[in-house]
Amino acid sequence: MKKAFLLASILFISVISTACINNFAVQELNNKAKDFMEKGDYISAIERLKSSIDLDGSVFETQYNLAVAYTKAEDYENAIKTYKNAINLNSDFADAYYSLAVCEENLAKDIISGNVIVNDDDTLSKANDIDDDSDEEKRELTDNAVKMIVSLLNSAISDYGIYSDKATAGEDVSNKVEELKNLLETYNQ
């Protein structure tokens, strides 16, 4: 009986110690990422935050900060995914919906402008990453691109609406929503 109690005690202490070490490591990585963000080194911040999430993916602030870092790096595709992860952890944080909507809007506009290309398999590429001699001429939007634009604009409108409902005080997004609805009409034909 004493051996079983001793073994259970050792196991309990090791689990608690590991959790404390992980929490400390997560906090250290988050602090380092904050320093990188303040310096404008978003790539290094992203790497630290991803490492932090590998240790504990259940921390809302880490997910949200990673999404912000992706946004600052103009990696809207990963920012959108990460904002959604953050919202799954804390659906009451209104600013996450606003930031998500901004990324959806920016990605749609990047596709429209030709800065981002929607590939046949619905993956995205930066226009300058494509080895193509026709860079100078305006690219025609594919059906996949138009579908993605419509989906992104609808999501942005919805997320701005959720932000408006949840925010106690914040930016009035009604003009943004109207602008996006008008833009959406162009692609819904």
Side-chain angles (χ1 to χ4, degrees):
M1 182 70 168
K2 289 182 181 180
K3 286 183 182 181
F5 179 73
L6 180 63
L7 184 59
S9 297
I10 291 171
L11 183 60
F12 177 75
I13 290 170
S14 64
V15 168
I16 296 298
S17 297
T18 302
C20 290
I21 291 169
N22 274 353
N23 286 341
F24 179 74
V26 165
Q27 190 60 45
E28 281 297 308
L29 287 165
N30 289 351
N31 289 340
K32 192 69 172 162
K34 180 182 174 202
D35 292 342
F36 283 123
M37 290 278 285
E38 289 172 356
K39 294 175 186 172
D41 184 358
Y42 306 121
I43 302 303
S44 295
I46 288 167
E47 292 307 314
R48 296 313 175 284
L49 291 164
K50 284 169 54 177
S51 295
S52 180
I53 287 170
D54 287 344
L55 289 173
D56 186 355
S58 67
V59 179
F60 166 78
E61 291 79 8
T62 306
Q63 293 280 352
Y64 183 76
N65 290 336
L66 177 58
V68 169
Y70 278 131
T71 303
K72 299 261 187 193
E74 296 183 3
D75 183 351
Y76 301 124
E77 183 179 21
N78 281 318
I80 290 167
K81 290 175 191 172
T82 311
Y83 280 122
K84 288 179 180 180
N85 291 342
I87 288 169
N88 284 336
L89 293 171
N90 181 358
S91 61
D92 293 328
F93 190 66
D95 287 348
Y97 292 96
Y98 180 86
S99 299
L100 174 58
V102 167
C103 286
E104 292 162 338
E105 176 183 356
N106 287 344
L107 183 55
K109 288 179 177 178
D110 279 351
I111 295 168
I112 291 167
S113 69
N115 292 329
V116 172
I117 306 299
V118 179
N119 301 311
D120 292 338
D121 62 355
D122 289 335
T123 59
L124 303 176
S125 301
K126 296 265 185 189
N128 56 1
D129 292 343
I130 306 236
D131 187 27
D132 191 352
D133 294 333
S134 63
D135 281 340
E136 292 179 16
E137 61 187 65
K138 184 82 169 151
R139 295 180 192 268
E140 188 74 25
L141 290 175
T142 64
D143 289 342
N144 285 358
V146 171
K147 286 178 189 172
M148 190 169 288
I149 291 166
V150 168
S151 175
L152 287 164
L153 292 175
N154 278 319
S155 293
I157 291 166
S158 173
D159 290 327
Y160 279 130
I162 295 169
Y163 165 77
S164 289
D165 291 344
K166 290 187 177 288
T168 55
E171 185 173 335
D172 178 16
V173 294
S174 57
N175 288 338
K176 280 188 167 292
V177 168
E178 283 307 310
E179 173 193 332
L180 294 181
K181 285 180 179 178
N182 290 334
L183 186 58
L184 186 59
E185 284 180 24
T186 306
Y187 295 96
N188 264 339
Q189 299 172 9

PDB file of all heavy atoms in Angstrom, residues 29 38 43-44 48 53 59 75 77 99 102 105 114-116 118 189:
ATOM      1  N   LEU A  29       8.481  31.804 -24.497  1.00  0.00           N
ATOM      2  CA  LEU A  29       8.362  31.912 -25.952  1.00  0.00           C
ATOM      3  C   LEU A  29       7.460  33.080 -26.337  1.00  0.00           C
ATOM      4  O   LEU A  29       7.749  33.812 -27.287  1.00  0.00           O
ATOM      5  CB  LEU A  29       7.833  30.599 -26.534  1.00  0.00           C
ATOM      6  CG  LEU A  29       8.821  29.434 -26.546  1.00  0.00           C
ATOM      7  CD1 LEU A  29       8.107  28.114 -26.801  1.00  0.00           C
ATOM      8  CD2 LEU A  29       9.916  29.658 -27.582  1.00  0.00           C
ATOM      9  N   GLU A  38       7.662  43.723 -31.574  1.00  0.00           N
ATOM     10  CA  GLU A  38       7.954  45.138 -31.353  1.00  0.00           C
ATOM     11  C   GLU A  38       9.066  45.636 -32.260  1.00  0.00           C
ATOM     12  O   GLU A  38       9.094  46.802 -32.638  1.00  0.00           O
ATOM     13  CB  GLU A  38       8.301  45.383 -29.882  1.00  0.00           C
ATOM     14  CG  GLU A  38       7.103  45.259 -28.969  1.00  0.00           C
ATOM     15  CD  GLU A  38       7.442  45.309 -27.490  1.00  0.00           C
ATOM     16  OE1 GLU A  38       8.654  45.366 -27.141  1.00  0.00           O
ATOM     17  OE2 GLU A  38       6.502  45.275 -26.680  1.00  0.00           O
ATOM     18  N   ILE A  43       8.571  37.226 -38.755  1.00  0.00           N
ATOM     19  CA  ILE A  43       8.908  35.830 -39.037  1.00  0.00           C
ATOM     20  C   ILE A  43       9.445  35.149 -37.770  1.00  0.00           C
ATOM     21  O   ILE A  43       9.031  34.035 -37.435  1.00  0.00           O
ATOM     22  CB  ILE A  43       9.921  35.727 -40.202  1.00  0.00           C
ATOM     23  CG1 ILE A  43       9.372  36.396 -41.469  1.00  0.00           C
ATOM     24  CG2 ILE A  43      10.323  34.280 -40.458  1.00  0.00           C
ATOM     25  CD1 ILE A  43       8.033  35.859 -41.952  1.00  0.00           C
ATOM     26  N   SER A  44      10.341  35.815 -37.061  1.00  0.00           N
ATOM     27  CA  SER A  44      10.866  35.247 -35.814  1.00  0.00           C
ATOM     28  C   SER A  44       9.763  35.140 -34.758  1.00  0.00           C
ATOM     29  O   SER A  44       9.710  34.162 -34.008  1.00  0.00           O
ATOM     30  CB  SER A  44      12.025  36.091 -35.280  1.00  0.00           C
ATOM     31  OG  SER A  44      13.107  36.045 -36.172  1.00  0.00           O
ATOM     32  N   ARG A  48       8.447  31.627 -32.850  1.00  0.00           N
ATOM     33  CA  ARG A  48       8.353  31.462 -31.392  1.00  0.00           C
ATOM     34  C   ARG A  48       6.928  31.085 -30.979  1.00  0.00           C
ATOM     35  O   ARG A  48       6.726  30.216 -30.139  1.00  0.00           O
ATOM     36  CB  ARG A  48       8.768  32.741 -30.661  1.00  0.00           C
ATOM     37  CG  ARG A  48      10.192  33.188 -30.805  1.00  0.00           C
ATOM     38  CD  ARG A  48      11.201  32.074 -30.604  1.00  0.00           C
ATOM     39  NE  ARG A  48      12.569  32.459 -30.845  1.00  0.00           N
ATOM     40  CZ  ARG A  48      13.143  32.636 -32.043  1.00  0.00           C
ATOM     41  NH1 ARG A  48      12.454  32.526 -33.143  1.00  0.00           N
ATOM     42  NH2 ARG A  48      14.418  32.920 -32.143  1.00  0.00           N
ATOM     43  N   ILE A  53       2.746  27.150 -29.267  1.00  0.00           N
ATOM     44  CA  ILE A  53       1.520  26.376 -29.521  1.00  0.00           C
ATOM     45  C   ILE A  53       1.816  24.883 -29.539  1.00  0.00           C
ATOM     46  O   ILE A  53       0.988  24.076 -29.097  1.00  0.00           O
ATOM     47  CB  ILE A  53       0.846  26.861 -30.818  1.00  0.00           C
ATOM     48  CG1 ILE A  53       0.210  28.230 -30.572  1.00  0.00           C
ATOM     49  CG2 ILE A  53      -0.182  25.852 -31.332  1.00  0.00           C
ATOM     50  CD1 ILE A  53      -0.292  28.933 -31.802  1.00  0.00           C
ATOM     51  N   VAL A  59      -3.904  27.880 -25.353  1.00  0.00           N
ATOM     52  CA  VAL A  59      -3.793  29.236 -24.804  1.00  0.00           C
ATOM     53  C   VAL A  59      -4.298  30.224 -25.856  1.00  0.00           C
ATOM     54  O   VAL A  59      -3.666  30.405 -26.908  1.00  0.00           O
ATOM     55  CB  VAL A  59      -2.341  29.559 -24.387  1.00  0.00           C
ATOM     56  CG1 VAL A  59      -2.236  30.958 -23.837  1.00  0.00           C
ATOM     57  CG2 VAL A  59      -1.834  28.527 -23.371  1.00  0.00           C
ATOM     58  N   ASP A  75       0.511  37.449 -44.297  1.00  0.00           N
ATOM     59  CA  ASP A  75       0.210  36.052 -44.615  1.00  0.00           C
ATOM     60  C   ASP A  75      -1.230  35.815 -44.175  1.00  0.00           C
ATOM     61  O   ASP A  75      -1.501  35.213 -43.146  1.00  0.00           O
ATOM     62  CB  ASP A  75       1.185  35.123 -43.889  1.00  0.00           C
ATOM     63  CG  ASP A  75       0.962  33.654 -44.229  1.00  0.00           C
ATOM     64  OD1 ASP A  75      -0.043  33.327 -44.886  1.00  0.00           O
ATOM     65  OD2 ASP A  75       1.812  32.835 -43.816  1.00  0.00           O
ATOM     66  N   GLU A  77      -3.693  34.057 -45.371  1.00  0.00           N
ATOM     67  CA  GLU A  77      -4.227  32.694 -45.360  1.00  0.00           C
ATOM     68  C   GLU A  77      -3.990  32.035 -44.002  1.00  0.00           C
ATOM     69  O   GLU A  77      -4.911  31.483 -43.390  1.00  0.00           O
ATOM     70  CB  GLU A  77      -3.594  31.887 -46.491  1.00  0.00           C
ATOM     71  CG  GLU A  77      -4.147  30.477 -46.600  1.00  0.00           C
ATOM     72  CD  GLU A  77      -3.538  29.695 -47.749  1.00  0.00           C
ATOM     73  OE1 GLU A  77      -2.430  30.053 -48.237  1.00  0.00           O
ATOM     74  OE2 GLU A  77      -4.170  28.716 -48.153  1.00  0.00           O
ATOM     75  N   SER A  99     -10.507  41.332 -36.572  1.00  0.00           N
ATOM     76  CA  SER A  99      -9.223  41.033 -37.207  1.00  0.00           C
ATOM     77  C   SER A  99      -9.370  39.957 -38.275  1.00  0.00           C
ATOM     78  O   SER A  99      -8.753  40.039 -39.341  1.00  0.00           O
ATOM     79  CB  SER A  99      -8.204  40.597 -36.157  1.00  0.00           C
ATOM     80  OG  SER A  99      -7.995  41.629 -35.216  1.00  0.00           O
ATOM     81  N   VAL A 102     -10.904  41.575 -41.328  1.00  0.00           N
ATOM     82  CA  VAL A 102      -9.907  42.384 -42.041  1.00  0.00           C
ATOM     83  C   VAL A 102      -9.033  41.485 -42.915  1.00  0.00           C
ATOM     84  O   VAL A 102      -8.759  41.806 -44.078  1.00  0.00           O
ATOM     85  CB  VAL A 102      -9.053  43.208 -41.050  1.00  0.00           C
ATOM     86  CG1 VAL A 102      -7.832  43.801 -41.733  1.00  0.00           C
ATOM     87  CG2 VAL A 102      -9.891  44.295 -40.401  1.00  0.00           C
ATOM     88  N   GLU A 105     -11.033  40.200 -45.895  1.00  0.00           N
ATOM     89  CA  GLU A 105     -11.178  41.309 -46.841  1.00  0.00           C
ATOM     90  C   GLU A 105      -9.872  41.548 -47.599  1.00  0.00           C
ATOM     91  O   GLU A 105      -9.869  41.678 -48.838  1.00  0.00           O
ATOM     92  CB  GLU A 105     -11.589  42.574 -46.084  1.00  0.00           C
ATOM     93  CG  GLU A 105     -11.693  43.808 -46.924  1.00  0.00           C
ATOM     94  CD  GLU A 105     -12.039  45.054 -46.119  1.00  0.00           C
ATOM     95  OE1 GLU A 105     -12.282  44.962 -44.894  1.00  0.00           O
ATOM     96  OE2 GLU A 105     -12.062  46.127 -46.734  1.00  0.00           O
ATOM     97  N   GLY A 114      -4.632  40.654 -58.218  1.00  0.00           N
ATOM     98  CA  GLY A 114      -3.639  39.804 -58.862  1.00  0.00           C
ATOM     99  C   GLY A 114      -2.380  39.600 -58.046  1.00  0.00           C
ATOM    100  O   GLY A 114      -1.447  38.953 -58.510  1.00  0.00           O
ATOM    101  N   ASN A 115      -2.329  40.130 -56.840  1.00  0.00           N
ATOM    102  CA  ASN A 115      -1.167  39.924 -55.977  1.00  0.00           C
ATOM    103  C   ASN A 115      -1.094  38.495 -55.448  1.00  0.00           C
ATOM    104  O   ASN A 115      -0.026  38.012 -55.098  1.00  0.00           O
ATOM    105  CB  ASN A 115      -1.178  40.893 -54.803  1.00  0.00           C
ATOM    106  CG  ASN A 115      -0.964  42.313 -55.244  1.00  0.00           C
ATOM    107  OD1 ASN A 115      -0.277  42.574 -56.219  1.00  0.00           O
ATOM    108  ND2 ASN A 115      -1.580  43.244 -54.537  1.00  0.00           N
ATOM    109  N   VAL A 116      -2.260  37.851 -55.356  1.00  0.00           N
ATOM    110  CA  VAL A 116      -2.345  36.457 -54.931  1.00  0.00           C
ATOM    111  C   VAL A 116      -3.108  35.703 -56.015  1.00  0.00           C
ATOM    112  O   VAL A 116      -4.127  36.180 -56.518  1.00  0.00           O
ATOM    113  CB  VAL A 116      -3.062  36.320 -53.570  1.00  0.00           C
ATOM    114  CG1 VAL A 116      -3.332  34.865 -53.217  1.00  0.00           C
ATOM    115  CG2 VAL A 116      -2.245  36.987 -52.467  1.00  0.00           C
ATOM    116  N   VAL A 118      -5.048  32.167 -57.171  1.00  0.00           N
ATOM    117  CA  VAL A 118      -5.704  30.945 -56.719  1.00  0.00           C
ATOM    118  C   VAL A 118      -5.372  29.863 -57.740  1.00  0.00           C
ATOM    119  O   VAL A 118      -5.715  29.980 -58.916  1.00  0.00           O
ATOM    120  CB  VAL A 118      -7.236  31.127 -56.605  1.00  0.00           C
ATOM    121  CG1 VAL A 118      -7.887  29.830 -56.149  1.00  0.00           C
ATOM    122  CG2 VAL A 118      -7.572  32.263 -55.643  1.00  0.00           C
ATOM    123  N   GLN A 189     -22.393  37.807 -60.024  1.00  0.00           N
ATOM    124  CA  GLN A 189     -23.183  37.794 -61.262  1.00  0.00           C
ATOM    125  C   GLN A 189     -22.905  36.587 -62.107  1.00  0.00           C
ATOM    126  O   GLN A 189     -21.972  35.959 -62.131  1.00  0.00           O
ATOM    127  CB  GLN A 189     -22.912  39.066 -62.056  1.00  0.00           C
ATOM    128  CG  GLN A 189     -23.318  40.269 -61.261  1.00  0.00           C
ATOM    129  CD  GLN A 189     -22.901  41.566 -61.929  1.00  0.00           C
ATOM    130  OE1 GLN A 189     -22.451  41.597 -63.056  1.00  0.00           O
ATOM    131  NE2 GLN A 189     -23.085  42.664 -61.237  1.00  0.00           N
TER     132      GLN A 189
END
